[in-house]
Structures are given as structure tokens and as C-alpha cells.
Amino acid sequence: MTESDKELLTVIIPCINEEESIALTVEDVLSYEGEIDVRLELLLIDDGSTDSTLDVMRALAEEHSNVRVQVNERNLGVGRSVMNAYEQIDDASWITVVPGDNEFHFASIHKFLAVREDHDLVIGYLQNSVIRPLHRRLASHAFATTVRFVYGLPYRNLNGMKLYRAWVYKGIDVLSGGHAYNAELLAKAVLRNPFLRITEVSFVARGRTQGTSKAFKPRSVARAVSEFARGRVSVNKYRSETLNIKP
């Protein structure tokens, strides 16, 4: 198979203020370019960084022909950043989203690609959760439990590594931000297409190699709760519209 005959995998890498990590993330992804049976394209999204993240991104794009950059003039959040990127990606492309902090071992992509022919969406759950501190594991467990209860979705983790066709999510409007957008997005995708072929595989994380997580500051936690509630209201409205339920 020639390079042009291979399926396309678009790796979306959104981040804010990750000048110390973004080059490591890109290096990790590109290191598997010759090992996987797809063409790689990287879309780096600067979500309103105030450090040198954008400068590093632009240098990486100049160095690698399959790396391009999208700039948010202000911080939109990971959800809106990824959703906006869909319009630039072909419906047939596979997509995975990798955080710019170099936390995911991109080697895990082998497991996702191995099952892609029989599925439209592959959801990852963390294989080595011991890598994360207790407070983060408790928060992740609480979030996953809440999602399963509120939306009736049986999956172990919605905020980890994923692989999906662009058309699975393209065209769906999402109102919530932060990590809450993943739950809202999947719930609406299943409502829109109940025959989606979905499976789960494990992925491996290395933990942050640079900097500190911004996700567990009190303000961030309060915002996450608010965004999840906003997403739930949006899904309820979408359910009524999709199923043509009269008020």
C-alpha cells in the first residue's frame, strides 16, 4: 500500500501555556509515524496561550510538513477548540485528541487502530491509573460514575484517549466546556445515531512531564460542576428534539 492509499489519522493537540511540553508531545506522536498503517496529520491548537506555546507550535509546523497550527485569539476551552477543528477535517478521517502536556503514551494508538475496522468510535480507559495521585483518581471515578448515572452511558472513562471517524461528532452543537463536553458530545452522538459501533480499549499515561495540572484548583472544579450541569440540560433538550417529544 502506498502512502496516499492509507487512511488518514488526524491528531488534534489542543493546549494552553504548554511551552515546555508541546514539542515533546509532537515528538512522541511523530515517532510512531513509520510504525502505524495510517497517514498522520497533526493539528496543534493554541487556546489563547500567554507564554511561548504558539511560537513553539509555529516552529514545529515549519519543521514538519504534516503539522499545522490553529490559533484561538482567546481561551475557548478544550471542548470548543476541538469542535471548531472538525470543520477543517474530512468526514472520513480518523481523529484522536492528545493533550499538549505529553501525558498520553502515543504508543497506545496501536490498540485503537487494531480494532478500528469494526467500530466507529473507540473509547480508552486508563490501564495504569496508579500513575495518577489519589485525589485525581477519586475525581475521575466520581465523574465517570456521575456520567453513567445521568446519561446511562456504560463506559469507564470518557476523558481519556479516543479514536473515531470525524463524522461521528461533526455537526453536533455542544454547549458545555472543559471535560464535560465529552459526556455531552457522546450522549448527543448516540441519540443522533443509536447504531454507532462503540468499543473500549486501554491506554497508558505517563503523567505530566512538565508543569502542573490546572484541573483541580477550586475554581476549576466549580467550573467543571457548572459545565456538567449545563451539558445535562442541553442533552435533555436535544433528546426531546431528536425523539420529537412534545412539551
Side-chain angles (χ1 to χ4, degrees):
M1 181 182 294
T2 64
E3 192 68 18
S4 60
D5 291 329
K6 293 180 179 179
E7 292 183 297
L8 177 63
L9 170 59
T10 302
V11 183
I12 301 176
I13 306 179
C15 62
I16 178 172
N17 295 337
E18 294 289 358
E19 61 180 2
E20 298 177 323
S21 302
I22 185 60
L24 294 173
T25 305
V26 170
E27 179 183 342
D28 182 45
V29 172
L30 291 178
S31 68
Y32 295 95
E33 192 168 11
E35 297 183 15
I36 53 180
D37 62 345
V38 292
R39 289 182 292 121
L40 272 180
E41 179 178 272
L42 282 66
L43 177 57
L44 314 183
I45 304 177
D46 179 65
D47 192 22
S49 294
T50 56
D51 62 3
S52 299
T53 297
L54 181 56
D55 293 334
V56 177
M57 285 181 171
R58 286 173 170 161
L60 290 166
E62 289 184 7
E63 182 180 355
H64 304 283
S65 61
N66 58 343
V67 175
R68 54 194 177 100
V69 177
Q70 174 179 306
V71 181
N72 297 341
E73 297 301 329
R74 61 182 179 86
N75 178 249
L76 300 179
V78 62
R80 181 52 52 193
S81 295
V82 172
M83 296 299 294
N84 288 348
Y86 290 155
E87 298 310 313
Q88 306 177 40
I89 300 171
D90 187 88
D91 287 359
S93 176
W94 288 99
I95 293 177
T96 189
V97 181
V98 174
D101 58 11
N102 198 34
E103 183 177 9
F104 292 175
H105 272 292
F106 196 68
S108 300
I109 197 67
H110 288 290
K111 291 185 177 181
F112 291 77
L113 291 173
V115 300
R116 75 183 187 278
E117 290 189 6
D118 297 319
H119 300 93
D120 308 310
L121 168 62
V122 185
I123 300 173
Y125 61 90
L126 188 57
Q127 177 174 311
N128 61 327
S129 59
V130 68
I131 196 74
R132 292 176 171 171
L134 179 60
H135 71 276
R136 186 168 181 183
R137 282 183 277 138
L138 289 173
S140 296
H141 177 74
F143 179 82
T145 300
T146 301
V147 167
R148 285 194 293 269
F149 177 76
V150 172
Y151 292 130
L153 298 170
Y155 309 109
R156 281 169 275 195
N157 182 9
L158 298 186
N159 294 328
M161 197 170 184
K162 305 175 191 67
L163 179 71
Y164 52 91
R165 290 284 195 186
W167 58 260
V168 169
Y169 290 144
K170 186 177 285 191
I172 297 176
D173 188 33
V174 175
L175 298 184
S176 59
H179 289 301
Y181 94 95
N182 281 313
E184 180 185 350
L185 187 59
L186 179 56
K188 289 181 176 179
V190 172
L191 282 167
R192 183 173 73 173
N193 184 357
F195 296 103
L196 280 176
R197 300 174 301 166
I198 304 174
T199 192
E200 294 179 281
V201 300
S202 63
F203 74 99
V204 176
R206 60 168 59 87
R208 290 184 63 93
T209 57
Q210 303 286 342
T212 58
S213 174
K214 310 170 185 66
F216 294 96
K217 295 179 180 180
R219 181 179 296 179
S220 297
V221 173
R223 180 182 177 187
V225 172
S226 174
E227 292 294 344
F228 185 82
R230 187 182 185 194
R232 183 185 65 81
V233 172
S234 180
V235 169
N236 286 343
K237 181 179 179 181
Y238 188 83
R239 179 187 297 108
S240 297
E241 294 171 348
T242 302
L243 301 180
N244 197 27
I245 299 175
K246 303 297 182 182

